[in-house]
Amino acid sequence: MSQQPIDFDAPTPQPRSFTAEVIQAEILERLTYSVGKDPLVARPHDWLKATILAVRARIIDRWMESSRETWRTSHKRVYYLSLEFLIGRLLRDAMSNIGIMEPVRTALGNLNVDLGGLVDLEPDAALGNGGLGRLAACFLESMSTVDIPAYGYGIRYVHGLFRQELSEGWQVELPEEWLAHGNPWEFERRESAYEIGFGGHVEPIAEPDGSTRLEWRPSEHVLAVAFDTPIVGWRGKRVNTLRLWSAQPIDPILLDRFNSGDHIGALEESARAEAITRVLYPADTTPSGQELRLRQEYFFSSASLQDIVRRHLQQYGDLGSLADKVAIQLNDTHPAISVAELMRILIDIHGLKWAQAWKITRATFSYTNHTLLPESLETWPVALLERMLPRQMQIIYAINAEVLTEARQRAGFNDQQIANVSLIDEHGGRRVRMGQLAFVGSHSINGVSALHTELMRKTVFGDLSRLYPERINNKTNGVTPRRWLLQCNPGLTRLITERIGPAFQDNLDRLVDLDKHADDPGFQEQFAAVKRANKARLADLIRDRQGVVVSPDALFDVQVKRIHEYKRQLLNVIEAVALYSDIRFHPEKDWVPRVKVFAGKAAPGYWNAKLIIKLINDVAKVINNDPAVRGLLKVVFLPNYNVSLAEAIIPAADLSEQISTAGMEASGTGNMKFAMNGALTIGTLDGANVEMVERVGRDNMIIFGLTAKEVTQRQARNETGRAAVEASPALKGALESIASGVFSPDDPNRYRDLIGGLYDHDWFMVARDFDAYAAAQRQVDAIWGNPRRWAAMAIRNTAHMSWFSSDRTIRQYAEEIWGVPAASA
């Protein structure tokens, strides 16, 4: 059957009624005819699915119209390639953004169903781990909000990173099961399926004109199948698409092997293909783990590029205009292989000459760097790439030759500078530097905070920046205020609306109007009441999940983020041990009641991070059960940190711990979310903390510790932490109690090496920043003791956070990198 031409000028369907009565009828219709349940016997999960389907139906018309409008106007599209999209639950987000939260609540109430219970029943999409994936989710929502035609491209992980549980205080990794009962938000696109090759060899093919072209002939193929999820922006003006790829075998079963009795072997190809999209960040400590990681990255990069090129040719018919109509943003180094893959597609499949293909590629790609840590700047063994992706490796060699020739002839680089800019690292085994590949293959390379960008220009990409001085720029991260204020903190949203009106919901810059109310005692009391209600809800959650009773009147001191030594959860828990000692030895002092809340996952292969989780739980067990503490200090670790847990914790926080080693945190976005919700920040001058000081004011934050420059100087001198430990009785006492087994009587030597590292090297400056951190915490106590001062500072944090909206960030990307128009506030 021939395909009918698409009429993109077809009339837009009229919007449906938003009354509770109409929505109630739609939910009942979905429950009956889509879920197949009688309302009399429907269970909560049935009502959840019916409600999602009813809400989804109201998004689809807008989704299709957004796509039609882009085709009609030939607007440039943005494609955001990210290995993670930590989108969380979508029901509340969708209802809020299209303005039907209350009608749906009323409709369900009429059916004796509680909307809040249904929202909590929806599983978190297991598509990310930490800040990288949450940033990608915020950016997608903001692109829809500011009316930029965009696609997000990623992987449809079946089991995500892992579901974290605790067993005797140790992290245990279990598979996420978020897709066990299907995903009612997604649509499978069987027509958007692409073959992805691996291995094989490159064949020279003689052309009629006497030239030779190269053709890659893979030895293995898998199928990338698209699943689309609509991402709706604020007020529902635009709905963009998150397209996730699922890996499937070309042949699901080898019948000849099955019928010959090899029933398991017959499914080998199927298992090999499906492994690609089962787990986020499979451990890469083994050769097979490294191969799977690379297969994942190439799989989703190739599928996305094939899809982008197909769509462009379908609309424009000519790849010469690709960079004029397509902007591809690489979110960190994971999709960096896209540079070589697009070159292969342009040259080998579509016949472009090298010079034209390279010009188009660089004009199309831009790259966001998220880390200065060497272990996070991916490299792959040359031998692995030559075996798995032989044609792409040839292209990488050719790109490298062009770059090194330019560096030598135009820039006059010496041998050391040549080695620094080379795509191939020759030290300790030849490896391809994916960060270098992304850099040379992009027209724009951005950092994610002012400090990070400055350090990136001076350190990891120093010589590349000298070779291409116009490429590096800064785009400080932001967070979507819809999820991280309006939705997760409705009490504060109502209070702000009552005080300054609703305009801030459409233009966050209006939040600054709160500043003039910061010293108003009446408003301070209302602000504090909202915070206490949020803390009471978190206290209930802590009791229900961990069996620890905490008082909502205590100071809630929160550090929730990925567990890593540079994020310095260790510094926090050591200070808790020191504080515990002081409380016991000086019961006569007027101590501030404090609850320390930790949450976060450690990478499965990162032993020290997992040991820190165990230490937190060991310390909690002792402190929480010691009657001498009199409830003045509680320590809690909440397992399986995800978006939904963050939405419960962040609005309840009084104090936000942003205490990374200066110069090591690229930006951070948790710092922004906490401050937006009225928490005070205790932190170092690291990442976006620096810009928060500029916007919020140093008087409204508690800043301590070494600067990035001072950290670098001490690391260069190879100083150890021993002198700092010996000079600090509080630190020395805390470390001795931990190392001697006070908190681990079942294994007294458990933390000996962890603590010994602070004496012998202290790379992350835990010992050398301890006294400054402890003093800052006592400053926090003093401010807490003055409720009016605390409230004024908290209100001013919220009032001055508009600049940290991801809408602002995306408008800057649009204007300065992508060259696309964006709607103003």
Side-chain angles (χ1 to χ4, degrees), residues 74-346:
S74 298
H75 282 162
K76 188 175 187 178
R77 294 180 178 89
V78 173
Y79 298 100
Y80 198 83
L81 272 61
S82 179
L83 206 60
E84 297 185 39
F85 285 96
L86 202 57
I87 57 176
R89 295 166 173 162
L90 292 180
L91 177 58
R92 186 178 62 186
D93 190 62
M95 290 188 297
S96 175
N97 278 6
I98 62 174
I100 62 170
M101 180 84 77
E102 293 312 312
V104 172
R105 190 188 308 278
T106 301
L108 287 168
N110 293 339
L111 297 166
N112 296 315
V113 178
D114 174 49
L115 174 60
L118 293 191
V119 168
D120 291 340
L121 191 61
E122 182 181 8
D124 273 54
L127 299 172
N129 174 31
L132 184 80
R134 188 51 236 170
L135 181 77
C138 285
F139 278 8
L140 273 189
E141 194 263 8
S142 281
M143 282 187 266
S144 293
T145 294
V146 304
D147 202 20
I148 294 174
Y151 275 75
Y153 280 111
I155 291 179
R156 183 178 179 266
Y157 301 104
V158 177
H159 299 301
L161 183 71
F162 57 82
R163 185 177 84 255
Q164 182 192 54
E165 292 189 1
L166 297 177
S167 176
E168 297 183 347
W170 291 101
Q171 171 179 288
V172 177
E173 299 104 27
L174 300 170
E176 287 276 12
E177 297 292 346
W178 75 288
L179 288 174
H181 304 292
N183 176 10
W185 290 106
E186 70 183 7
F187 295 83
E188 182 180 0
R189 305 301 193 194
R190 283 181 287 178
E191 72 282 3
S192 296
Y194 302 95
E195 286 196 13
I196 311 298
F198 298 100
H201 66 281
V202 179
E203 186 85 15
I205 306 294
E207 295 287 81
D209 63 359
S211 64
T212 300
R213 65 179 178 87
L214 297 174
E215 183 177 295
W216 179 31
R217 296 187 175 173
S219 58
E220 177 189 356
H221 290 88
V222 300
L223 205 60
V225 178
F227 287 78
D228 288 355
T229 298
I231 303 296
V232 60
W234 180 239
R235 305 295 189 194
K237 181 177 181 181
R238 170 173 288 279
V239 182
N240 282 323
T241 301
L242 172 59
R243 174 160 287 186
L244 302 174
W245 300 105
S246 176
Q248 300 179 10
I250 302 296
D251 295 312
I253 185 170
L254 302 177
L255 278 175
D256 55 342
R257 293 180 67 175
F258 190 88
N259 290 328
S260 69
D262 187 4
H263 304 138
I264 303 301
L267 301 174
E268 183 179 333
E269 287 191 16
S270 180
R272 183 170 170 80
E274 292 170 1
I276 295 174
T277 53
R278 283 207 175 274
V279 175
L280 168 65
Y281 299 138
D284 59 357
T285 52
T286 64
S288 60
Q290 291 183 22
E291 178 176 328
L292 180 55
R293 282 268 193 113
L294 181 56
R295 284 165 68 88
Q296 281 187 333
E297 294 179 5
Y298 176 70
F299 165 82
F300 103 92
S301 297
S302 179
S304 303
L305 292 173
Q306 291 184 60
D307 198 44
I308 292 166
V309 169
R310 173 203 57 79
R311 186 176 298 109
H312 181 82
L313 288 174
Q314 183 179 347
Q315 184 166 6
Y316 301 106
D318 176 21
L319 288 173
S321 62
L322 186 69
D324 298 324
K325 297 297 182 181
V326 166
I328 302 176
Q329 189 73 35
L330 304 177
N331 192 30
D332 218 357
T333 55
H334 308 121
I337 194 65
S338 297
V339 172
E341 176 66 1
L342 183 57
M343 288 291 287
R344 183 189 71 83
I345 290 171
L346 295 177

Side-chain angles (χ1 to χ4, degrees), residues 604-679:
Y606 191 174
W607 170 250
N608 271 7
K610 296 173 85 166
L611 192 60
I612 289 168
I613 291 176
K614 174 61 173 169
L615 174 61
I616 293 168
N617 285 293
D618 278 350
V619 168
K621 185 177 180 180
V622 171
I623 292 177
N624 296 348
N625 293 288
D626 188 339
V629 176
R630 296 166 288 138
L632 291 169
L633 178 63
K634 294 286 182 79
V635 179
V636 179
F637 187 97
L638 288 170
N640 205 39
Y641 184 58
N642 57 17
V643 175
S644 295
L645 186 54
E647 290 170 346
I649 293 173
I650 289 171
D654 294 306
L655 187 66
S656 164
E657 298 267 357
Q658 308 299 329
I659 59 175
S660 53
T661 310
M664 294 191 182
E665 183 73 83
S667 169
T669 53
N671 46 6
M672 304 169 191
K673 297 165 193 168
F674 280 105
M676 194 175 284
N677 284 272

